[in-house]
Amino acid sequence: MVDSRFGVVELDDLPDDLRERLAPIAEKSGFVPNIFRALGRRPAELRAFLDYHDALMESDEGLSKAERELVVVATSGANHCGYCVVAHGAILRIRAKDPHLADQVATNPWGAELDDRRRAIVDLALALTREPELFGEAHLDAARAAGLSDDEIWDIGSITALFAASNRLAHLSALTPNPEFYTMGRTPPPPR
């Protein structure tokens, strides 16, 4: 199986700054996610992607890290992006400590049983993903009624937008998920 139709760049072949930035991820997880290997063919784009990704996904303000991953899984499922559903589904399983949530949201986000807050998060992401031209005040009012702040709503919109782009790149490159993602968060991790 090919990881990307445009090829990938191995960690050792990246510029020093990117190698240093990705090394902790590889060390912690035991692998380099294929999206980083694929974007490595254009180092400036990988740097920009990592900067925006980290600004949105690693913030300790507003949405929890699990809620941020929930947005990614809902968006990626609606966009039929297998790579992002598998990769971020794994992260959502770990961060939410729930082995089922990611699969439920990815396969049927409208039918997934969610509390009011999570339902509002998923619905807002879906509104921006599925019919962005129809997005309006009614969507914002529903999110606010569920208790989401304007900053949290902004986070949902920004994450949805970033992953719309990421989903399109994954489609363009026929990116395949790293095999390790499929089992992460489903079974206890092996002892180290």
Side-chain angles (χ1 to χ4, degrees), residues 173-185:
S173 62
L175 196 60
T176 59
N178 301 71
E180 296 89 346
F181 280 129
Y182 288 97
T183 57
M184 289 172 60

Side-chain angles (χ1 to χ4, degrees), residues 83-106:
Y83 179 86
C84 292
V85 164
V86 171
H88 288 274
I91 299 167
L92 176 57
R93 286 191 296 274
I94 292 165
R95 290 192 170 166
K97 296 175 179 52
D98 183 334
H100 307 287
L101 178 62
D103 294 336
Q104 293 167 349
V105 170

